[in-house]
């Protein structure tokens, strides 16, 4: 019987962010569940938006035991699910993510940036948001075909929901939990794109804190791994399947 695989999208995306990956998975191995996170897609209006609420949503949707994979913001949520219910998460796959901003001054700056952007978001159309978001240096080098598909997914959101999510579960507002990463005793796979230098650095932090983790860097890819390298990412998700 296939293992349940829960896939969590990043900020600004929806469950459709995993569309390029799903056909590449071995469906004899995995049966995917792909929810929207609060403030996004079909859950744009769900309140309150909190990490605890997102964790509760995932645990309510999943069976007693499952594999969990999260991308970017979804990876931060996934880690908190695994910390809250380690007996249920058989394996954890972390894609282009981190355990938060450890430096206090850097975090204060990020909170201020998130607040300013959330204010701007509430005045934007969803098309204006999509154009702004895709133009960030973090996403430089996204292949045109992947970018066109990605924009369609961004447009499935509502700026008000995204602003609320940014204020509640954005990178700045999240308390860092690097000191708890060692509690992730289940099998862990960490994946980053080679062009995504910041998150390659985070991958190395996981390697130091989780000696049992498998850490992979995908050549030629940036931050948007589910859309930029779906075949390679699906292979890594399947590679460590729990028997």
């Amino acid at each position: 019987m296939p293992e349940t695989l829960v896939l969590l999208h990043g900020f600004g995306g929806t469950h459709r962010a995993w569309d390029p990956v799903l056909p590449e998975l071995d469906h004899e191995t995995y049966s995917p569940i792909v929810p929207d996170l609060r403030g996004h897609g079909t859950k744009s209006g769900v309140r309150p938006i909190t990490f605890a609420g997102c964790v509760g949503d995932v645990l309510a949707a999943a069976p007693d035991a499952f594999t969990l994979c999260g991308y970017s913001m979804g990876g931060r949520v996934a880690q908190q699910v695994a910390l809250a219910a380690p007996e249920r998460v058989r394996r954890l796959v972390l894609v282009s993510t981190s355990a938060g901003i450890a430096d206090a001054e850097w975090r204060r700056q990020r909170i201020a940036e998130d607040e300013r952007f959330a204010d701007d978001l509430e005045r934007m159309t969803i098309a204006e948001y999509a154009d702004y978001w895709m133009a960030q240096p973090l996403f430089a080098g996204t292949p045109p075909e992947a970018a066109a598909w990605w924009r369609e997914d961004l447009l499935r959101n509502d700026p008000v929901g995204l602003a609320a999510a940014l204020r509640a579960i954005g990178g700045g507002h999240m308390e860092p939990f690097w000191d708890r990463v060692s509690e992730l005793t289940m099998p862990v796979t960490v994946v980053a794109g080679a062009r995504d230098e910041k998150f390659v650095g985070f991958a190395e932090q996981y390697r130091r804190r989780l000696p049992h983790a498998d850490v992979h860097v995908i050549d030629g890819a940036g931050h948007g791994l589910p859309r930029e390298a779906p075949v390679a990412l699906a292979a890594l998700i399947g590679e460590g399947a729990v028997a």
Side-chain angles (χ1 to χ4, degrees), residues 4-239:
T4 297
L5 169 65
V6 178
L7 296 160
L8 304 181
H9 63 81
F11 179 80
T14 72
H15 68 281
R16 298 288 301 274
W18 292 101
D19 281 4
V21 177
L22 293 177
E24 308 299 334
L25 293 170
D26 180 355
H27 290 272
E28 293 185 2
T29 301
Y30 286 125
S31 176
I33 293 176
V34 194
D36 284 333
L37 294 170
R38 294 188 181 197
H40 295 75
T42 60
K43 290 197 175 88
S44 179
V46 175
R47 301 291 188 274
I49 301 176
T50 62
F51 277 107
C54 292
V55 168
D57 292 345
V58 172
L59 292 175
D64 289 343
F66 58 98
T67 291
L68 179 58
C69 176
Y71 161 66
S72 197
M73 182 187 75
R76 299 197 299 272
V77 173
Q79 289 169 89
Q80 298 199 38
V81 171
L83 290 169
E87 73 285 357
R88 293 180 60 182
V89 179
R90 299 187 70 197
R91 178 170 168 249
L92 182 63
V93 182
L94 302 176
V95 181
S96 304
T97 197
S98 80
I101 301 171
D103 182 86
E105 180 56 31
W106 182 18
R107 185 165 173 248
R108 280 193 291 271
Q109 293 176 12
R110 177 63 181 271
I111 289 172
E113 292 170 3
D114 285 354
E115 288 292 336
R116 285 193 295 270
F117 182 46
D119 289 344
D120 291 342
L121 251 176
E122 291 173 328
R123 295 188 290 269
M124 289 181 179
T125 66
I126 193 61
E128 289 170 337
Y129 158 72
D131 291 340
Y132 175 91
W133 193 248
M134 295 176 71
Q136 291 187 96
L138 179 65
F139 303 117
T142 302
E145 184 176 348
W149 179 90
W150 176 33
R151 191 173 192 278
E152 290 182 11
D153 191 45
L154 296 175
L155 295 176
R156 296 184 178 103
N157 286 293
D158 170 38
V160 173
L162 296 180
L166 188 60
R167 292 189 175 106
I169 58 175
H173 289 276
M174 185 187 76
E175 290 286 343
F177 52 91
W178 286 107
D179 59 343
R180 295 195 64 196
V181 163
S182 61
E183 297 174 34
L184 300 172
T185 57
M186 68 286 293
V188 178
T189 298
V190 178
V191 189
R195 289 191 288 103
D196 191 11
E197 295 181 5
K198 176 179 175 181
F199 284 84
V200 170
F202 287 135
E204 290 303 318
Q205 289 195 50
Y206 284 112
R207 193 193 300 274
R208 291 193 295 272
R209 293 169 184 267
L210 285 174
H212 70 283
D214 290 324
V215 178
H216 300 269
V217 176
I218 298 178
D219 288 339
H223 188 71
L225 289 179
R227 55 189 171 268
E228 292 186 43
V231 175
L233 181 56
L236 291 172
I237 292 171
E239 190 175 90

